[in-house]
Amino acid sequence: MSTTSSPVKSAYHVEEFRAQFPILKELVHGKPLVYFDNAATSQKPRRVIKAESTYYATINANVHRGVHTLSTKATEAQEAARETIRKHINAKHAHEIIFTSGTTASINLAATSLGQLLLEKGDEVVISGMEHHSNIVPWQLACERHGATLKVIPITESGEWDLGETPGPSTPLREARSEVFTEKTRILAISHVSNTLGTINPVKELIAQAKKQGIITVVDGAQAIPHLKVDVQDLGCDFYAFSGHKAYGPTGIGVLYGREELLEKMPPWQGGGEMIDQVNFEKSTWAKLPFKFEAGTPNIAGIIGLGEAISWMNDYDLDAMAAHELTLLARATKELLTIDGLRIIGTAKEKVGVISFVIEGVHHYDLGTLLDQQGIAVRTGHHCTQPLMDRFGVSGTTRASFACFNTMAEVDALVAATKKAVKMLR
Ligand SMILES: Cc1ncc(COP(=O)(O)O)c(C=O)c1O
C-alpha cells in the first residue's frame, strides 16, 4: 500500500524528514512543538497515517475469512506487511512473524507459552537490571507459576551489564560471562537497547554464550527497531519482540519473532477464532503458524500501517538517521553537563539518541512541566524501570529521546529552557 515515491538515500536533510510529519506543525502553549519523547512513542509520517486510512476507506474487511474481494485484498495487504517485516529483520519464514498488540503482549506470549513448555521447579530465568517492567513482570509471573527463580544481571555505574569482569579488547566476552548462567538456566530475556539509559547492549555475544548452554533467548527490541538494523538470524536469538508505535508505526500493533522449531512446540497463548484447526467439545487442534498465536480478528489497519512504517524507514538510511540522532545526543550531553548539579544517568559507550538526567534540587516533574510550557515534550518519571531507578538511587529522571526529524536548534531550545527552569526552581 505504498502511497509515495522518491526515497532519499544521500545526504541527511532533516527538513525533508520534518516535512513528512504533520504533527510537527502543531503549537503547544503557543510555541512550536519540540517532540523529544520518541522513546515513549514516535511521531508518524504522513505515509503511515495514509496507509491506515486508505485501508479503512478502500479495502476494510476481515482477513482470512471471506471469499469476497475486499476480504481477499485485506488479507493480501496484511500478509504483504508480514513479508515486509520478515525481510526487515531477516527472519527465515514469514510464519515466524506473530502479530501482537505490542512488545508487552509479545513478551507475555513468550513468557506464558515458553514457561509452560520449558520451566520446572528450580529452573532459572535470567534478565538484566535495566529491563522495562514489560520484560520483568511476565517472567516473574511465569517463575511463580512454575516454581522457577528470576535472576538479574547487575548494572554498572555507566549503565551497562555487569558480568563480573569489565570486557576489554583482550577479554573475550564469552569468558567474562561464564558466571551469569548455571546448569539450571533455561531462559535469558534481555533488552537490546535500554529505554531509560539508551545503552546498546552486546546481545549477540551473550546470546552466543547462552546458546552454548542450550538456553532459550528472548530479546526485547522495542527501543532497537527505531534505530538499529536488526538481523535476528545474525543475532542468533530465539525470540525478538517489538512495538510498531516506537518505530514510526501505529499504536496497538507489535511483533513477536520466534524461531519456527520453538513456535511449533509451544502451546497457544490465547484461544479463540482463527487460531484453531478443528474444534469440538472434547478437544481442539491448532492452526498452523503464525495463526496458532493470532487468536481473534487482528489489528489489520495497524499491521498495514506497521508494514508501511518499515517500508518508509527502508526508503531512507537507518544508519544515517541514527547517526543524526547521535549528533543531537552529543550536543545535548555536552551542553546539559554545563548545568550545575546535573547528572546523566546512562553513560555507556554505545548508546542510541536517548539522554536521561537528574538535577540536584530540581524535581523531574517540575522540570517536565516547565519544559512543556515552552512547547518541549520530554518524559519524566521512572520510565517503567523502577528497579533501575533504585540501582541509581533516584526516584525518576527527565528523559529526552531523539528521532530522525529532530534538529540541533531544538536541542539548543531544550538546553536553554532547562537552564531557565533550573533558575526558577532552585
Ligand atoms: C524497552 C521497552 N520494552 C518494552 C516496552 C513496552 O512496549 P509497549 O508499551 O509498546 O508494549 C517499552 C515501552 O516503553 C520499552 O521501552
Side-chain angles (χ1 to χ4, degrees), residues 179-190:
E179 75 279 17
V180 173
F181 307 124
T182 73
E183 74 282 0
K184 291 178 183 166
T185 311
R186 298 284 166 265
I187 299 170
L188 168 71
I190 39 166

Side-chain angles (χ1 to χ4, degrees), residues 14-153:
V14 71
E15 288 306 327
E16 203 143 351
F17 285 98
R18 295 184 69 76
Q20 299 185 56
F21 290 80
I23 206 164
L24 298 178
K25 293 201 170 60
E26 292 295 309
L27 298 180
V28 173
H29 300 298
K31 307 262 169 35
L33 168 67
V34 173
Y35 190 76
F36 282 154
D37 198 15
N38 294 285
T41 197
S42 66
Q43 296 302 346
K44 324 300 173 200
R46 200 171 280 110
R47 238 173 89 172
V48 170
I49 299 167
K50 192 166 175 194
E52 273 211 79
S53 64
T54 303
Y55 159 74
Y56 281 123
T58 63
I59 59 167
N60 175 52
N62 214 327
V63 287
H64 292 293
R65 300 212 178 165
V67 291
H68 63 80
T69 302
L70 286 191
S71 175
T72 306
K73 284 188 174 172
T75 303
E76 283 168 3
Q78 171 175 299
E79 295 310 315
R82 200 189 302 270
E83 173 57 21
T84 301
I85 293 157
R86 179 206 69 75
K87 213 165 144 198
H88 185 69
I89 62 169
N90 194 31
K92 239 191 210 158
H93 309 288
H95 58 249
E96 294 177 319
I97 305 297
I98 311 290
F99 289 121
T100 66
S101 62
T103 310
T104 303
S106 295
I107 298 173
N108 274 279
L109 190 172
T112 307
S113 183
L114 270 181
Q116 210 174 318
L117 181 72
L118 294 177
L119 292 181
E120 287 176 3
K121 200 168 171 23
D123 285 345
E124 290 171 359
V125 174
V126 174
I127 61 170
S128 92
M130 66 171 80
E131 300 309 315
H132 188 280
H133 296 162
S134 295
N135 202 32
I136 301 174
V137 183
W139 300 111
Q140 264 173 345
L141 293 171
C143 285
E144 271 169 30
R145 270 193 298 269
H146 302 286
T149 305
L150 193 66
K151 286 181 69 181
V152 184
I153 299 170

Side-chain angles (χ1 to χ4, degrees), residues 39 102-104 132 134 193 195 220 222-223 243 245-246:
T103 310
T104 303
H132 188 280
S134 295
V193 170
N195 62 313
D220 172 352
Q223 298 293 340
S243 301
H245 70 99
K246 295 180 194 288

Side-chain angles (χ1 to χ4, degrees), residues 150-425:
L150 193 66
K151 286 181 69 181
V152 184
I153 299 170
I155 302 303
T156 65
E157 201 52 36
S158 60
E160 293 162 287
W161 293 335
D162 184 351
L163 294 147
E165 192 180 326
T166 308
S170 57
T171 316
L173 291 170
R174 256 170 275 109
E175 287 171 29
R177 282 153 193 196
S178 52
E179 75 279 17
V180 173
F181 307 124
T182 73
E183 74 282 0
K184 291 178 183 166
T185 311
R186 298 284 166 265
I187 299 170
L188 168 71
I190 39 166
S191 52
H192 197 166
V193 170
S194 159
N195 62 313
T196 302
L197 310 167
T199 311
I200 303 174
N201 291 309
V203 284
K204 188 174 168 181
E205 290 83 349
L206 196 57
I207 287 168
Q209 173 68 22
K211 271 173 86 169
K212 277 194 188 158
Q213 296 180 227
I215 295 162
I216 300 302
T217 55
V218 181
V219 180
D220 172 352
Q223 298 293 340
I225 287 287
H227 308 287
L228 307 179
K229 283 182 181 150
V230 171
D231 179 331
V232 290
Q233 292 190 68
D234 181 57
L235 286 179
C237 58
D238 296 303
F239 295 89
Y240 197 95
F242 64 95
S243 301
H245 70 99
K246 295 180 194 288
Y248 305 106
T251 50
I253 185 67
V255 166
L256 179 67
Y257 155 80
R259 220 157 40 75
E260 179 188 49
E261 187 197 339
L262 280 161
L263 289 174
E264 291 288 7
K265 288 185 194 151
M266 284 158 60
W269 178 45
Q270 292 178 326
E274 201 59 18
M275 53 73 71
I276 51 83
D277 178 25
Q278 294 290 322
V279 175
N280 60 52
F281 288 125
E282 284 72 45
K283 187 169 171 52
S284 300
T285 54
W286 316 134
K288 58 185 175 36
L289 296 175
F291 308 111
K292 180 170 94 173
F293 292 106
E294 293 181 354
T297 300
N299 177 0
I300 306 162
I303 292 169
I304 291 168
L306 174 56
E308 191 67 15
I310 300 285
S311 297
W312 178 83
M313 286 200 288
N314 284 329
D315 276 351
Y316 295 89
D317 178 350
L318 199 51
D319 286 343
M321 289 153 88
H324 169 73
E325 292 155 12
L326 287 181
T327 63
L328 303 179
L329 176 69
R331 172 90 137 240
T333 305
K334 181 166 171 271
E335 295 301 325
L336 285 171
L337 280 173
T338 64
I339 296 172
D340 186 37
L342 186 142
R343 172 184 166 211
I344 292 174
I345 307 289
T347 52
K349 273 204 195 83
E350 296 286 328
K351 282 182 66 168
V352 299
V354 168
I355 183 163
S356 263
F357 57 92
V358 291
I359 305 175
E360 233 175 74
V362 173
H363 197 280
H364 45 271
Y365 288 133
D366 295 335
L367 177 57
T369 306
L370 289 177
L371 291 177
D372 180 59
Q373 295 298 316
Q374 304 297 311
I376 301 170
V378 293
R379 175 86 186 261
T380 59
H382 55 62
H383 317 293
C384 297
T385 53
Q386 284 180 356
L388 187 63
M389 296 294 104
D390 293 343
R391 156 67 185 84
F392 283 99
V394 297
S395 62
T397 74
T398 302
R399 180 188 71 186
S401 50
F402 307 124
C404 64
F405 52 76
N406 289 126
T407 67
M408 214 51 106
E410 290 181 321
V411 171
D412 292 344
L414 168 72
V415 174
T418 304
K419 285 181 175 168
K420 193 171 157 193
V422 169
K423 269 197 196 138
M424 289 167 72
L425 293 168

